[in-house]
Amino acid sequence: MPHAVDPIHARAEENLRYIRDAMARAGAFTAVPGWGGVLMGATALAVTPLAGPPRESARWLAIWLGEAVVAVAIALAAIAWKVRRSESPLVVGPAQRFALAYLPPLVAGMVLTAVFATHGLIARLPGCWLLCYGAAVTTGGALSVRVVPIMGLSFMLDGVAAFLAPAAWGDVFMAAGFGGLHIGFGIVIARRYGG
């Protein structure tokens, strides 16, 4: 009995499916929100004078933790908006790899926040937060467009500077990082990478 030969179009469809899947797995996460970063920076600048210089106070900590919740909400909404606006699906592979690289430094920052707070080091949290957030953006950004890891490294440098400076200057470094860097890099990302 002769062997049935697959029609060429069936093999071509299978090859195209394989190529599409490979490209999706290899693709960069491009939904980093530029305008969302600008808005996150604006809220950080608004919160800075309200919180004032870092002190060993629950109030200062609560204000900035509240700002972190607002920033996360802005980021998630901005990613969804950017994906919808670009009319391209949020490719699961790159988004999942971005999240897997981005989240561990943030979890480390959450653990260190509890450690710093319970050991009377609240005034040193600006350096910790900027450094951990910068590490998150750098590692996640390695799977994104080139400007994102550069932004992460800038946050890390700001965090190192905050640790080297007097603790009372922490609000300046928070404003420069979470405010200024988000706004500056957000504008670049929005203009060059579609929002």
Side-chain angles (χ1 to χ4, degrees), residues 3-128:
H3 222 309
V5 178
D6 290 336
I8 194 162
H9 72 278
R11 284 192 310 244
E13 283 181 34
E14 184 177 274
N15 288 339
L16 283 174
R17 193 174 313 112
Y18 174 79
I19 291 168
R20 268 190 241 119
D21 290 345
M23 288 176 68
R25 286 192 305 275
F29 179 72
T30 57
V32 173
W35 294 124
V38 171
L39 186 54
M40 290 163 56
T43 60
L45 289 177
V47 163
T48 300
L50 177 65
R55 296 184 178 86
E56 299 305 318
S57 77
R59 179 185 174 277
W60 184 90
L61 184 58
I63 289 171
W64 278 106
L65 290 177
E67 167 58 15
V69 170
V70 169
V72 167
I74 291 169
L76 292 174
I79 288 170
W81 174 78
K82 186 172 182 178
V83 168
R84 211 174 18 255
R85 186 172 169 258
S86 69
E87 295 180 357
S88 63
L90 180 63
V91 180
V92 175
Q96 185 178 30
R97 285 191 303 280
F98 181 90
L100 288 173
Y102 182 82
L103 290 175
L106 290 185
V107 171
M110 287 186 257
V111 171
L112 289 172
T113 297
V115 171
F116 277 45
T118 58
H119 288 88
L121 297 169
I122 290 175
R124 283 304 184 178
L125 278 172
C128 175

